[in-house]
Amino acid sequence: MAAITCTCVNGVRSLILGRYIGRTILRTPKPVITDCPVRNLKRWERPYMLYLEKQRKKHERKFGPPPPKPRSEHSDLPWNYDSELYAFARRLGEEINEETLRAAFTHPSFVAGEIEKRKELELDVELDMQDNEELSHIGIEFISEYIKSYLRHVYPNFPDDGINATKDHLTSVEVSSHIASHLGVADLIKYPVFPFPEDVVQKTFFAVVGALLQSQGPDRTGLFVRDFFLPQLMGKDINDCWELLDPMGLLVETLQQQGKEPPQPRLIRQTGSSTLVAMYIVGIYSDKQLIGSAPGSSILEAEDQATRVALKNIFGTNPEKSPPLPIDGPIGQYLHASIVKQLKGGDNSERVAVSD
């Protein structure tokens, strides 16, 4: 038995609590054994690190953030450029000639700078170093031809101006540098100034594609372009890449080439015409058939949008009616084989109307 004395307001009263050892809430809990290692942190370490972080933020607010450094200077360990080139090719899963890949990452201005340094030191000016000028031209030419051939197979009714505009969007500085930065291309560029301009990253990326073309041929290079460039169109309306200044004129010309009557815009419905939230729905008719309709806050706006919808329906590029791009799967493999055959000089008259 164990006795516990409790002191109350009115006096002292003894309360005897009987318990058996091991069967009451007064028992001390068993110790818990864990595998958690001891951190061995001193008491001064946490406030000291907080103080350093506070001083760093104060310095950045006063003088701005520190200048960016290339990846080769992020560590005190020596930078092994040859190992980085080898790892880059392995990350892509491609077999690329090492010398060709090294030339793809070398900008012409870097070679010119090295020659100037040799002249200042009065050394031999001859430098056995290739730049990526030729490889970039080879790469952009192959990328452009593959993308245009792909779009012509998928959208056979899309005009050449629209295909070229889509190709220009996929090979633009913004899109190309975005893809290259996620593949780690910018970490290996040889250029005199850092950070690198986006056009330098774009040119280097095209040179990498050219190096892959020389090492692996059009089949593997086409798969590379298909897997990294064409997915940039996912979730994007392909018609937005083509800026139309006169959609009605293009619609008239297109219907005339197809032997159909000129388009006739008609007001289908309207509501709230006397309010600030007026809504008009205009339809475009040809041969007494509705080929496109769209709403708008004014009749002119609704007519313009309906004309663009009619063009999308005629070209087969309406995202609401056409399936997604066949990048992978049996259709994607068949398209890739047809495009590679066409680029090699085979039969280019065969097209696949996937969007129908």
Side-chain angles (χ1 to χ4, degrees), residues 5-293:
T5 303
C6 299
T7 303
C8 302
V9 178
N10 299 328
V12 178
R13 185 175 55 184
S14 297
L15 178 62
I16 299 176
L17 297 178
R19 65 177 177 86
Y20 292 100
I21 298 176
R23 299 184 60 186
T24 179
I25 60 174
L26 298 179
R27 182 183 57 182
T28 304
K30 294 182 180 179
V32 179
I33 301 176
T34 63
D35 296 334
C36 219
V38 180
R39 295 191 301 170
N40 293 325
L41 294 179
K42 304 300 181 181
R43 288 188 175 183
W44 56 266
E45 187 168 351
R46 182 175 181 273
Y48 178 69
M49 298 301 294
L50 291 176
Y51 171 77
L52 292 181
E53 181 67 15
K54 183 179 179 180
Q55 291 297 112
R56 185 188 65 83
K57 292 182 179 179
K58 181 180 179 181
H59 185 274
E60 288 187 1
R61 287 194 299 267
K62 185 176 181 180
F63 301 101
K69 298 188 299 183
R71 182 169 170 263
S72 57
E73 300 179 5
H74 285 184
S75 175
D76 296 334
L77 299 177
W79 175 258
N80 193 334
Y81 191 77
D82 295 336
S83 299
E84 294 295 335
L85 283 178
Y86 180 84
F88 175 80
R90 292 303 175 271
R91 286 197 300 269
L92 296 182
E94 304 292 347
E95 294 287 342
I96 307 177
N97 182 269
E98 183 178 352
E99 295 299 327
T100 307
L101 186 60
R102 187 188 303 272
F105 284 104
T106 305
H107 197 267
S109 60
F110 180 82
V111 179
E114 291 296 320
I115 294 177
E116 290 296 330
K117 292 180 181 179
R118 285 175 172 264
K119 289 182 179 180
E120 293 177 359
L121 298 175
E122 298 181 356
L123 298 176
D124 188 7
V125 181
E126 294 183 2
L127 185 64
D128 188 13
M129 183 180 296
Q130 299 179 356
D131 55 36
N132 58 7
E133 190 70 32
E134 182 180 358
L135 289 174
S136 63
H137 289 296
I138 296 175
I140 183 58
E141 183 178 356
F142 180 83
I143 293 171
S144 301
E145 292 298 326
Y146 189 93
I147 291 176
K148 289 191 294 185
S149 299
Y150 177 89
L151 294 176
R152 288 193 183 101
H153 279 77
V154 178
Y155 303 110
N157 298 325
F158 203 38
D160 291 339
D161 292 341
I163 291 178
N164 291 327
T166 308
K167 182 264 300 180
D168 293 339
H169 167 73
L170 292 177
T171 57
S172 62
V173 176
E174 294 78 8
V175 177
S176 302
S177 59
H178 172 75
I179 301 173
S181 62
H182 285 77
L183 293 178
V185 174
D187 296 333
L188 302 175
I189 296 177
K190 290 184 177 181
Y191 188 73
V193 182
F194 187 85
F196 309 124
E198 289 188 346
D199 57 339
V200 173
V201 179
Q202 178 196 35
K203 183 176 182 178
T204 305
F205 187 39
F206 292 158
V208 171
V209 177
L212 178 61
L213 180 62
Q214 289 188 354
S215 301
Q216 294 290 330
D219 190 10
R220 294 291 302 178
T221 311
L223 291 175
F224 183 87
V225 175
R226 185 198 68 179
D227 293 342
F228 290 104
F229 280 89
L230 294 175
Q232 307 302 317
L233 294 176
M234 289 296 183
K236 181 179 180 61
D237 189 356
I238 191 176
N239 304 276
D240 296 338
C241 302
W242 186 19
E243 184 179 359
L244 292 177
L245 301 179
D246 185 15
M248 181 57 72
L250 179 61
L251 181 59
V252 172
E253 181 181 356
T254 303
L255 293 177
Q256 185 178 2
Q257 293 176 356
Q258 295 179 357
K260 298 182 179 180
E261 295 183 358
Q264 299 178 357
R266 298 178 183 178
L267 181 63
I268 300 178
R269 288 184 292 273
Q270 65 177 358
T271 179
S273 57
S274 59
T275 64
L276 297 176
V277 289
M279 178 64 66
Y280 303 90
I281 300 179
V282 174
I284 304 296
Y285 289 84
S286 178
D287 290 338
K288 299 181 180 180
Q289 292 184 357
L290 180 66
I291 59 176
S293 62

